[in-house]
Amino acid sequence: MKIILKYISVFILFIYMLLIFLPKENLYYFALEKLAEDKIELTNIKVQDKYISLILENTNIKYEKIKVGSIENIEIKSLLFQTNIIIDNLKVQKSLKKFMPYDMKSIKIIHSILNPLVIDIKLSKQFNIKNKKIMKYLTKTEDGYRYEYKF
């Protein structure tokens, strides 16, 4: 029994160390490269590598070299089976107010390995979607709208 307990504790310690020493900054730079392919840039970023999370502060969002918004804080937390991204204080340029709210206090994005086809996005602010091109991809549910993509 002691041997089994020892193996389980070593395994849990290994997983914990794997999460701590995961190259989070390298994953962040890989994500920046993927965003650059779509002409999206994140600038003026202060990156902090915490134990199990990566924190990005004072981020400006640019699309085709034009500033479209700013984010005060982004926290990317990778757990064993789940990844959480929390975006605080997203402010969009006033010229884009027709498409989305000017400021959002919090956006929480959750992705789980146990259910890889679902990404849960929770917004702190409700907004009306008036664009009919976007509406044809969304289905109305009790909680709001749902976007489903089928391969």
Side-chain angles (χ1 to χ4, degrees), residues 31-77:
L32 279 183
E33 289 175 8
K34 289 297 179 186
L35 287 173
E37 291 174 4
D38 293 326
K39 301 176 186 170
I40 299 171
E41 295 178 33
L42 302 179
T43 59
N44 297 341
I45 305 169
K46 181 180 175 190
V47 180
Q48 294 180 0
D49 188 0
K50 298 289 184 179
Y51 291 112
I52 59 172
S53 65
L54 184 70
I55 297 175
L56 312 173
E57 294 178 338
N58 302 325
T59 305
N60 289 329
I61 306 165
K62 292 183 178 182
Y63 178 72
E64 293 184 352
K65 308 280 185 197
I66 300 169
K67 183 178 176 183
V68 294
S70 64
I71 301 172
E72 185 178 306
N73 189 18
I74 302 172
E75 181 180 2
I76 304 168
K77 187 181 292 185

Side-chain angles (χ1 to χ4, degrees), residues 7-149:
Y7 282 126
I8 291 173
S9 63
V10 168
F11 178 72
I12 291 173
L13 182 65
F14 172 75
I15 296 297
Y16 183 70
M17 289 299 175
L18 182 68
L19 291 175
I20 288 177
F21 294 117
L22 185 72
K24 293 176 278 299
E25 285 191 33
N26 291 347
L27 294 174
Y28 159 71
Y29 289 116
F30 177 73
L32 279 183
E33 289 175 8
K34 289 297 179 186
L35 287 173
E37 291 174 4
D38 293 326
K39 301 176 186 170
I40 299 171
E41 295 178 33
L42 302 179
T43 59
N44 297 341
I45 305 169
K46 181 180 175 190
V47 180
Q48 294 180 0
D49 188 0
K50 298 289 184 179
Y51 291 112
I52 59 172
S53 65
L54 184 70
I55 297 175
L56 312 173
E57 294 178 338
N58 302 325
T59 305
N60 289 329
I61 306 165
K62 292 183 178 182
Y63 178 72
E64 293 184 352
K65 308 280 185 197
I66 300 169
K67 183 178 176 183
V68 294
S70 64
I71 301 172
E72 185 178 306
N73 189 18
I74 302 172
E75 181 180 2
I76 304 168
K77 187 181 292 185
S78 248
L79 303 172
L80 188 57
F81 295 112
Q82 179 173 305
T83 300
N84 298 335
I85 300 173
I86 300 170
I87 301 171
D88 292 325
N89 294 328
L90 168 67
K91 294 196 185 299
V92 179
Q93 292 293 351
K94 291 184 181 182
S95 61
L96 298 173
K97 283 172 77 169
K98 294 178 185 177
F99 303 107
M100 62 187 309
Y102 170 67
D103 62 341
M104 287 192 180
K105 297 292 180 208
S106 177
I107 300 172
K108 187 172 185 178
I109 303 168
I110 301 169
H111 179 257
S112 175
I113 293 175
L114 302 175
N115 196 356
L117 299 178
V118 174
I119 298 175
D120 188 26
I121 301 174
K122 296 181 181 176
L123 304 173
S124 65
K125 190 177 221 181
Q126 297 293 327
F127 58 94
N128 293 327
I129 301 172
K130 298 176 184 173
N131 191 336
K132 293 189 183 211
K133 290 181 182 178
I134 295 174
M135 286 300 295
K136 70 181 181 181
Y137 297 109
L138 300 174
T139 56
K140 181 99 169 130
T141 64
E142 304 132 10
D143 300 331
Y145 290 96
R146 169 171 275 189
Y147 172 77
E148 292 185 10
Y149 180 79

